[in-house]
Each structure stands twice: as C-alpha cells, then as structure tokens.
Amino acid sequence: MSQLKGACIIGQSGGPTSVINASAYGVIRTALDNPNITAVYGAAHGIKGVLNDRLYDMSQEDAHELELLLNTPSSELGSCRYKIADPDVDDTDYKRILEIFKKYDVRYFFYNGGNDSMDTCSKVSRFMAKSGYECRVMGVPKTIDNDLFGTDHCPGFASAAKYIATSCAEVYKDARVYDTGMVTIIEIMGRHAGWLTAAAALAGVVGCAPDLIYVPEVDFDMDKFLADVTSIYEKNGNCIVAVSEGIHYADGSFVSEAKTSATDGFGHAQLGGLAAMLANIVKERTGAKVRGIELSLLQRCGAHLASQTDIRESFLAGKTAVEAAVAGETDKMVGFECSRENGYECKTKLFNLSEVANFEKKVPLEWINEAGNGINQGFIDYALPLIQGENTRATENGLPRFARLKKVLASK
C-alpha cells in the first residue's frame, strides 16, 4: 500500500460514555504525532459537523487539555444522531462529504460510535471508493450497551458496568436500613441487549447482589415477576430487582409505559419510566413499601467510577485506528480479542465494517439462569476483569477537572 499523506477528521456519534473521549484522544494524539497526517480536525457534532463545515483545528489545543480527555466524560467534540441515507438511493450527503474532504485534503476519516455510527462509517467508505477518492475510513467503537458484533467487548461498557454494580451495592446497603422492609426496583439502560443490567450481578462479588435480574434476552412475564418478588419479599423482608429498560413481553411489545413517548434520529424507541410503573404494580399487589430508581444518564457519564482498564483500552482503540489506517487499512473497525484463561489479556483486532454495522450482540443465554430472572457465573468471569483499576483523575477545588478545549474552527 502506497504512503498516503493528508488531513484527518475525527467525529463522535451516538450516546456518549464516560470514556469515549479517551478514544478520541487516542486518535488525536496519535494523528498529531504522525508525519503522514498533515492536519487533525475534530467534527463538531459528528457527521453533521462535516456536512456543515464545522471542523475544529485540534493542533490549536493545549497538550495538557487534550490529555485531560482521558478522564473527561461525554463527547467533547459534540455528538449527533443523524442517519444518512443509502448512497444508492440518495447521495446528496455523500457528495457534500466528498466536497468537504477535498476542501481540507482529508485522507483519513475516523468515526467514534456504536452500531449506527459503524453503519455511517461503512456507507462513507463505500462512497469514497466508488468515487475514486482515496480516503481511509476507520470505525472506533464505543457503546455502553456492549452490543457491537465481533469484538469481545466495547469501550465504555466496563465503566458503565462498574458504575451500575457499585450503585446496586450501595442501594443494597441503603435498602436495609429500616426494619420495615422494602422492594427496590432499579431500571438500567439496554434496549435490546441486557449487558448493562447483567452487570448488576457484579455487586454479588461484594455480597450485595440484587435478588432478581431481568434482561431483554428473555421474554418478560408479569405474573411470574410478581410471584418472584412476592416470594422473596415475604421470605426476606426485602427484595431488590434490577431490570432492563428494554424488557418485553412474548409478543415483542415493550413493558415500559413510555415506549411510545418519542424516538431518536434512527427510529429507536426512547424508553423510560419502567421502574416507576413496576413499582406501582408491585405496591398495589403486595402492599409493600416500594421504591423505583432509574439510573438514566448517570450510568453513562459517571467518570468518577470509570474503569482504568476501560480508559486504557479506549485510548488504545483510537491509537490503533490511526496506526492501522496509516499502514494502509481502511473500511475496518477496531475491536478487541481477549483471553481470560491465565489472567486477562486483551489485544486489538480489525473487523470489516460490513460485518459489524447493524448487527447486535446479545448476552449468551447460557449466562442467564433457567428461571430467566438471574445471571450466572459465566458473565461474572467475563465482566469482572473489565472493571479493574481506578480512575486517577485530576481535580480542582475538590471537584473533577475536565478538559477545556478552545474548539477553534478551521478555515480554508
């Protein structure tokens, strides 16, 4: 593969995580240091920043502020949920992207996101090849949902899992303060895959596991759920339930009462309100004191509980994307290949974008108990190594010190 010189663009898309900026820093720092990359631009709000010609000149940022991205939550460059059309049906956006790429001599495009972002990456890559414009396109994964196909796990999942397990352990202690008993229902993110809700089981490692865990991989039965809760509450005087926002009945309809409230830019239902709904039903049926808790955005932005393993691997994913692209790779996503047999080992691996875009990886059924209301040891063995290590974040006046970027707009 011939040496390719030119500028690069890094964009972030979809829901943020507490470590997505670590991946962006992996791309930015590695690209700034590579002689084949002549300029490094950050797209303001993902692909929309490219379409709107709003690119940040990352060379104008202070090195120290860029390094703080390692411990800064959310998507510092700005994100979006914008679905570009199939280029064979409507190539308007693609022609505009190509126009911007030519304007800034962009020869490398890195897109940091989940399933829908990998789909965008794949479409852009195909259009550039069809147009005869040499531009190497690489997907840098992120998603707390952990549902990207192929890779052992996704950057962002481990930190969210650590937050969830920690929160469940803390709620477990709090729920046992009084002698009157209580049922606590904790709602956790996850539309179709139950990885995050399964992470509640990690609290059992410190003796604080939820009594019941429900994930979308198994059809939900309200009568069985109420029987399970009632049985445990009557026996123990307390019951803690972890439940995925995306649990559904056998006919596929979401249990959540908010299922029709709105959809995002890709047509996905925005779920929520499940914990409150189930709490009301349990209270009416049992008469017990019931509290519903929705972790909501906290589980994806809790950088104070980020896994150091996750931070390190997220940076590595961005770094590897740049190195692989400069070496000649394109139309790939960086993923992980891991071993846990003799201690935890993780290596990067490249996957074809066409193989990962729009495919969802579910929790293996063998990691869910036979009753469909708990998580087996197999998941614990899988997830526990991922949450190791503490976030050594910078602080200022007792509060976290996040990156403060200048975000100087590029011009040509």
Side-chain angles (χ1 to χ4, degrees):
M1 184 70 68
S2 61
Q3 190 178 71
L4 182 64
K5 283 204 171 190
C8 81
I9 291 178
I10 165 70
Q12 298 175 303
S13 179
T17 79
S18 65
V19 297
I20 187 173
N21 288 324
S23 289
Y25 180 58
V27 170
I28 294 165
R29 184 69 272 158
T30 309
L32 285 171
D33 293 340
N34 194 294
N36 290 303
I37 297 179
T38 56
V40 180
Y41 300 115
H45 301 286
I47 198 67
K48 291 176 72 175
V50 179
L51 293 168
N52 296 329
D53 196 359
R54 289 185 57 82
L55 305 177
Y56 303 128
D57 183 352
M58 304 312 297
S59 69
Q60 299 298 310
E61 303 295 344
D62 296 332
H64 173 67
E65 295 298 333
L66 285 176
E67 188 174 4
L68 286 173
L69 287 172
L70 287 169
N71 306 108
T72 299
S74 186
S75 302
E76 193 64 19
L77 297 175
S79 187
C80 69
R81 292 191 185 277
Y82 181 78
K83 187 176 182 67
I84 57 178
D86 185 324
D88 295 328
V89 176
D90 182 0
D91 63 1
T92 305
D93 283 343
Y94 300 91
K95 288 179 178 177
R96 173 60 172 167
I97 292 169
L98 179 56
E99 177 187 352
I100 296 298
F101 281 10
K102 288 181 176 178
K103 176 180 178 179
Y104 292 91
D105 189 29
V106 173
R107 297 293 177 172
Y108 298 93
F109 180 60
F110 305 100
Y111 212 39
N112 191 190
N115 275 307
D116 296 317
S117 303
M118 295 306 109
D119 177 56
T120 297
C121 244
S122 182
K123 289 174 177 175
V124 170
S125 179
R126 292 201 316 269
F127 184 81
M128 292 301 145
K130 182 179 178 181
S131 300
Y133 182 80
E134 188 172 6
C135 181
R136 296 172 189 169
V137 178
M138 299 290 289
V140 183
K142 74 86 214 172
T143 176
I144 62 170
D145 292 324
N146 200 40
D147 59 355
L148 280 173
F149 181 80
T151 182
D152 177 271
H153 59 280
C154 301
F157 165 67
S159 294
K162 187 167 186 166
Y163 180 94
I164 289 164
T166 302
S167 297
C168 286
E170 291 171 341
V171 168
Y172 179 99
K173 300 296 289 184
D174 187 275
R176 284 162 169 74
V177 168
Y178 303 111
D179 60 2
T180 52
M182 182 167 64
V183 175
T184 307
I185 300 172
I186 305 172
E187 178 182 342
I188 298 167
M189 284 181 170
R191 184 183 293 112
H192 298 300
W195 295 98
L196 287 172
T197 304
L202 292 170
V205 175
V206 291
C208 300
D211 299 290
L212 299 165
I213 300 175
Y214 296 91
V215 295
E217 282 77 2
V218 178
D219 292 338
F220 185 78
D221 184 309
M222 184 65 78
D223 290 333
K224 186 175 182 302
F225 163 74
L226 290 170
D228 290 342
V229 172
T230 301
S231 174
I232 292 171
Y233 177 72
E234 290 179 347
K235 178 182 178 181
N236 300 329
N238 282 284
C239 180
I240 295 181
V241 182
V243 58
S244 170
E245 65 178 357
I247 57 169
H248 55 80
Y249 296 113
D251 65 1
S253 62
F254 290 115
V255 177
S256 169
E257 63 181 2
K259 68 174 190 252
T260 59
S261 62
T263 61
D264 64 18
F266 287 86
H268 305 312
Q270 290 184 356
L271 307 180
L274 177 65
M277 186 194 77
L278 291 177
N280 287 333
I281 293 173
V282 170
K283 185 175 182 178
E284 289 176 4
R285 184 68 64 93
T286 67
K289 178 182 178 181
V290 187
R291 188 180 296 274
I293 300 171
E294 184 177 350
L295 296 184
S296 190
L297 299 184
L298 297 173
Q299 60 206 290
R300 75 183 192 191
C301 64
H304 61 293
L305 282 174
S307 153
Q308 190 61 39
T309 297
D310 197 16
I311 294 171
R312 183 178 65 250
E313 291 178 350
S314 297
F315 174 86
L316 179 62
K319 179 176 182 286
T320 300
V322 175
E323 292 175 341
V326 171
E329 296 285 356
T330 188
D331 202 33
K332 299 288 198 301
M333 182 193 82
V334 178
F336 299 131
E337 188 174 56
C338 303
S339 171
R340 294 167 176 82
E341 295 179 1
N342 298 305
Y344 175 69
E345 293 183 7
C346 180
K347 298 178 181 179
T348 57
K349 180 180 178 180
L350 300 183
F351 296 87
N352 293 325
L353 281 171
S354 60
E355 295 175 359
V356 299
N358 296 312
F359 290 95
E360 286 185 312
K361 180 180 67 177
K362 305 292 187 70
V363 176
L365 292 179
E366 61 266 27
W367 289 355
I368 303 169
N369 69 4
E370 190 174 344
N373 61 12
I375 300 299
N376 293 332
Q377 185 63 36
F379 175 84
I380 304 296
D381 296 338
Y382 162 83
L384 193 59
L386 308 181
I387 69 168
Q388 300 306 306
E390 309 310 312
N391 184 348
T392 54
R393 58 203 173 109
T395 59
E396 185 175 271
N397 294 317
L399 294 169
R401 169 64 160 88
F402 298 141
R404 297 169 186 159
L405 301 186
K406 301 171 188 174
K407 297 183 179 178
V408 178
L409 286 174
S411 61
K412 280 282 185 178

